[in-house]
């Protein structure tokens, strides 16, 4: 049950929420729609569900045009950030709701409903809560019930809008592993919206990065992390250090220093190099390559030490190294070092850098 | 005697409870008790003669019947009013919102006279119904009209905030699960509103039972047909029959109290179904 999103555009007044967005989501995949707030990801999800209507474009569910179908008819499961459980119903009745409102001809018998609801409650490991009311559950439990409720109608696709957004950090981490395992079990095509790149990279088969209503990049988590195709993507997926300069003869020239970027890179007059904090080697200040910097602060909690350094021109650089390596080098705050990036991603400097 | 004072997380229980009981006694219980003692002075036989008088019984029927009906009508229309005010935006919304409270503020006699003028045979609205042989004023219809008028704000004002509280997402979730608009209304929205509707119904009903001023101008006050119980009480008072007046009043009190208790119990039941602890 794949989803095809074809040239979807949506305006809210003068604000362009989505601009000619096309995405193909193959059957059985778990896809993350990732982007900063206001990028249109939730709007896109609501359009897929039929809760919102696009100004232009179409949504194909399993090859069939669903654009004119009402949310009732689309048979999609939708999970809301704030659960949206029915407060006056027990957990059992919440999950059973989708089955009970079916037209009489299609409605399963009440024994069948009971069986199916319990099977789903077991799937989300909450069958022991069947008689409770939503107000008696924790946030994580509520969201699992919301998921069971959405799955009860055997939806063609499962859509989740920031499903873990309202939960605290620990529960969120647990639940996203659990969602991944659940998806491996039931294989329903799923799309979830998140603004948390870690969540997207950890859970999804593929990540769609949206920015200002447009698709920036689509790819597997590795692909988009290791090979971002725009400065936005590079900047959005974790912290980066920026080096402004010009590219010539396979080197990025930053001030008087040159950093090798590989022969494949063509010459650029105005370029920006992106280096992630863990992609630096720390060398003694006397080394003849790399960029000189001074250690300002070392935060060494856990296995990885975070080091804040300043360049000669005063710009801040963040570096992460294993603490063992740091101890071996015997570096402390105030020391001078030379930073050599192991990998640099170079982009043309944009006229209006965001 | 050393007693250990226990400190509660919610201090001020004794003080607050003390004020509550004194206030309740002064304002509600003592006046009501005097009704009872006055009635007792009458003796059982004459008490029965007064309260079982066919004219008085007819007034009970009218008062409680019309009050229940008016409260029911207001529950339906109050829900629609609240729905319109919460769900839609339209020009003049604030004005309508303010107009709803007017029956609260208007002296009831003014309301009664205004209603009688408009709904009588020659009145603006009454004349429209006249050709079909329907009289809206000076009969039980008039009583009902007046009671509907004064009870309207109660349901609107109790339902409005609760309806505003209902998240749009809950309805979207229901629609996503395949529920029709009607199923969503009956299974999701209405249960959510039931406690508030019952409260509004109870308030509108209680107000209607006690109403006097607006009703007497439009009721016509025909014996056995359109006399309300408060009018019977006033009539007896005007004849210096204080014991008789309190006898009628005490029966009215008991019926009102029982009905309100039932409504309260229903409310409690609806609330539990709503899930304890909010």
């Amino acid at each position: 049950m794949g989803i095809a999103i074809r040239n979807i555009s949506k305006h809210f007044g003068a604000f362009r929420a989505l601009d000619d967005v096309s995405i193909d989501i193959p059957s059985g995949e778990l896809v993350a729609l990732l982007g900063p707030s206001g990028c249109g990801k939730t709007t896109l999800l609501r359009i897929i569900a039929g809760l919102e209507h696009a100004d232009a474009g179409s949504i194909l569910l399993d090859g069939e045009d669903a654009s004119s179908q009402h949310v009732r008819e689309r048979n999609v499961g939708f999970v809301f950030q704030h659960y949206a459980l029915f407060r006056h119903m027990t957990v059992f009745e919440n999950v059973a709701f989708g089955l009970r409102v079916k037209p009489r001809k299609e409605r399963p018998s009440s024994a069948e409903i009971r069986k199916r609801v319990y099977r789903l409650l077991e799937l989300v490991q909450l069958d022991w809560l069947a008689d409770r009311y939503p107000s008696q559950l924790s946030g994580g439990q509520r969201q699992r019930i919301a998921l069971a409720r959405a799955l009860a109608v055997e939806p063609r696709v499962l859509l989740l809008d920031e499903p873990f957004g309202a939960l605290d950090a620990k529960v969120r981490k647990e639940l996203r592993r659990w969602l991944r395992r659940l998806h491996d079990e039931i294989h329903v095509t799923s799309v979830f919206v998140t603004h948390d790149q870690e969540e997207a990279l950890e859970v999804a088969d593929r990540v769609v990065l949206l920015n200002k209503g447009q698709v920036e990049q689509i790819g597997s988590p590795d692909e988009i992390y290791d090979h971002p195709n725009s400065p936005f993507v590079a900047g959005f997926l974790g912290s980066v250090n920026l080096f402004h300069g010009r590219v010539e003869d396979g080197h990025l020239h930053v001030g008087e220093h040159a950093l090798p970027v590989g022969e494949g890179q063509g010459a650029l007059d105005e370029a920006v190099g992106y280096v992630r904090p863990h992609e630096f080697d720390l060398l003694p200040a006397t080394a003849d390559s790399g960029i000189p910097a001074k250690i300002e602060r070392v935060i060494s909690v856990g296995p990885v030490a975070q080091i804040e350094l300043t360049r000669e021109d005063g710009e801040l650089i963040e570096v992460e190294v294993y603490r063992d390596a740091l101890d071996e080098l015997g570096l402390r705050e105030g020391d001078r070092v030379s930073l050599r990036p192991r990998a640099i991603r170079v982009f043309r400097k944009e006229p209006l850098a965001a | 005697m050393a007693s250990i004072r226990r400190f509660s997380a919610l201090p001020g229980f004794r003080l607050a409870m003390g004020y509550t009981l004194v206030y309740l006694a002064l304002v509600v219980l003592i006046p009501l008790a005097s009704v009872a003692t006055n009635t007792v002075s009458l003796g059982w036989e004459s008490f029965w003669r007064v309260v079982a008088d066919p004219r008085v019984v007819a007034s009970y029927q009218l008062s409680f019947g019309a009050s229940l009906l008016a409260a029911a009508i207001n529950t339906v229309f109050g829900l629609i009013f609240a729905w319109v005010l919460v769900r839609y935006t339209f020009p003049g919304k604030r004005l309508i919102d303010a107009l709803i409270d007017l029956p609260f503020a208007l002296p009831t006699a003014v309301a009664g006279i205004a209603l009688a003028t408009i709904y009588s045979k020659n009145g603006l609205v009454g004349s429209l119904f006249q050709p079909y042989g329907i009289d809206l004023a000076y009969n039980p219809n008039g009583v009902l009209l007046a009671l509907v008028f004064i009870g309207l704000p109660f349901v609107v004002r109790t339902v409005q905030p609760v309806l505003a509280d209902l998240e749009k997402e809950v309805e979207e979730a229901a629609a996503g699960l395949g529920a029709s608009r009607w199923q969503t209304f009956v299974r999701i929205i209405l249960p959510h509103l039931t406690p508030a509707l019952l409260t509004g119904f109870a308030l509108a009903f209680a107000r209607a039972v006690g109403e006097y001023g607006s009703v007497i101008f439009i009721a016509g006050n025909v014996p056995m047909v359109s006399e309300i119980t408060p009018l019977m009480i006033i009539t007896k008072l005007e004849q210096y029959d204080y014991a008789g007046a309190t006898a009628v009043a005490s029966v009215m009190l008991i019926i009102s109290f029982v009905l309100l208790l039932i409504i309260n119990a229903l409310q409690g039941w609806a609330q539990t179904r709503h899930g304890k602890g909010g």
Side-chain angles (χ1 to χ4, degrees), chain A residues 40-301:
Chain A
K41 55 194 191 300
T42 293
T43 307
L44 182 58
L45 195 76
R46 290 174 63 85
I47 288 173
I48 299 173
L51 293 169
E52 207 92 61
H53 284 277
D55 300 336
S58 53
I59 300 288
L60 276 64
L61 295 177
D62 209 18
E64 166 200 353
D65 193 343
S67 311
S68 59
Q69 278 181 331
H70 189 267
V71 53
R72 266 202 302 282
E73 302 153 353
R74 284 198 197 186
N75 194 17
V76 296
F78 202 97
V79 175
F80 295 86
Q81 181 177 3
H82 297 288
Y83 329 124
L85 291 176
F86 307 134
R87 278 186 277 172
H88 61 286
M89 292 183 189
T90 60
V91 163
F92 180 92
E93 286 302 325
N94 263 282
V95 179
F97 183 84
L99 301 172
R100 290 210 199 282
V101 295
K102 279 183 187 292
R104 191 157 294 146
K105 288 194 302 256
E106 302 163 30
R107 199 185 307 157
S109 69
S110 66
E112 172 69 17
I113 289 179
R114 208 180 152 70
K115 217 172 80 193
R116 273 165 74 172
V117 170
Y118 270 98
R119 202 163 57 218
L120 282 162
L121 287 176
E122 274 161 31
L123 184 68
V124 300
Q125 295 154 9
L126 291 175
D127 45 323
W128 50 288
L129 289 175
D131 298 324
R132 304 274 184 92
Y133 284 93
S135 57
Q136 297 166 305
L137 308 185
S138 72
Q141 289 170 338
R142 287 183 206 186
Q143 199 55 294
R144 275 146 73 186
I145 296 302
L147 192 64
R149 182 180 67 177
L151 290 173
V153 291
E154 291 173 351
R156 295 196 278 185
V157 296
L158 184 62
L159 307 172
L160 306 102
D161 184 12
E162 302 247 7
F164 314 125
L167 304 169
D168 60 60
K170 190 159 169 277
V171 181
R172 197 182 315 176
K173 232 179 157 90
E174 268 171 38
L175 263 193
R176 70 197 192 206
R177 275 198 211 113
W178 174 84
L179 175 69
R180 182 64 243 186
R181 279 204 310 275
L182 183 79
H183 184 265
D184 292 341
E185 226 170 289
I186 59 176
H187 283 298
V188 58
T189 310
S190 308
V191 182
F192 76 100
V193 156
T194 180
H195 62 263
D196 180 347
Q197 83 281 353
E198 213 182 296
E199 190 170 296
L201 296 176
E202 188 184 311
V203 178
D205 295 320
R206 285 205 305 157
V207 177
V208 176
L209 227 129
L210 289 170
N211 183 32
K212 293 179 184 158
Q214 289 180 308
V215 175
E216 284 277 346
Q217 192 171 357
I218 303 178
S220 71
D222 302 351
E223 260 166 44
I224 64 164
Y225 190 82
D226 292 333
H227 306 289
N229 64 7
S230 71
F232 170 80
V233 177
F236 193 77
L237 299 172
S239 40
V240 279
N241 297 289
L242 272 56
F243 295 94
H244 297 269
R246 93 194 125 74
V247 177
E248 219 174 71
D249 320 322
H251 282 75
L252 174 67
H253 298 269
V254 182
E256 62 205 49
H257 310 285
L259 304 168
V261 292
E263 294 298 329
Q265 181 67 48
L268 282 170
D269 271 348
E270 298 230 315
V272 190
Y274 285 73
V275 184
R276 299 208 184 277
H278 61 86
E279 293 172 328
F280 285 103
D281 284 327
L282 290 178
L283 303 176
T286 51
D288 55 356
S289 66
I291 287 186
K294 184 176 152 219
I295 298 180
E296 295 291 339
R297 217 161 103 77
V298 179
I299 306 160
S300 53
V301 180

Side-chain angles (χ1 to χ4, degrees), chain B residues 130-257:
Chain B
Q130 190 57 37
Y132 305 102
I134 301 169
D135 279 337
L136 291 179
Y138 309 122
N139 58 20
N141 291 342
V143 177
L144 186 64
L145 267 174
L147 296 184
V148 167
F149 172 79
I150 53 141
L152 175 67
F154 293 98
V155 178
V156 180
R157 289 299 179 228
T158 48
V159 170
Q160 219 176 349
V162 182
L163 186 59
D165 214 32
L166 182 69
E167 308 134 90
K168 191 169 131 245
E169 289 176 354
V170 172
E171 285 169 60
E172 288 178 347
L177 291 166
S180 67
R181 201 64 197 126
W182 175 247
Q183 283 172 320
T184 305
F185 182 75
V186 172
R187 287 169 178 261
I188 306 297
I189 301 174
L190 215 50
H192 180 82
L193 297 179
T194 304
L197 283 169
L198 280 171
T199 306
F201 179 87
L203 289 172
F205 167 73
R207 176 78 169 83
V209 167
E211 177 61 15
Y212 176 73
S214 62
V215 178
I216 48 157
F217 288 100
I218 195 173
N221 307 326
V222 183
M224 300 299 293
V225 176
S226 61
E227 283 182 322
I228 55 168
T229 310
L231 177 71
M232 302 307 302
I233 297 170
I234 300 275
T235 314
K236 289 200 187 305
L237 286 179
E238 278 169 354
Q239 294 157 0
Y240 303 105
D241 178 8
Y242 292 125
T246 51
V248 175
S250 61
V251 171
M252 195 176 185
L253 266 176
I254 290 164
I255 300 175
S256 301
F257 191 65

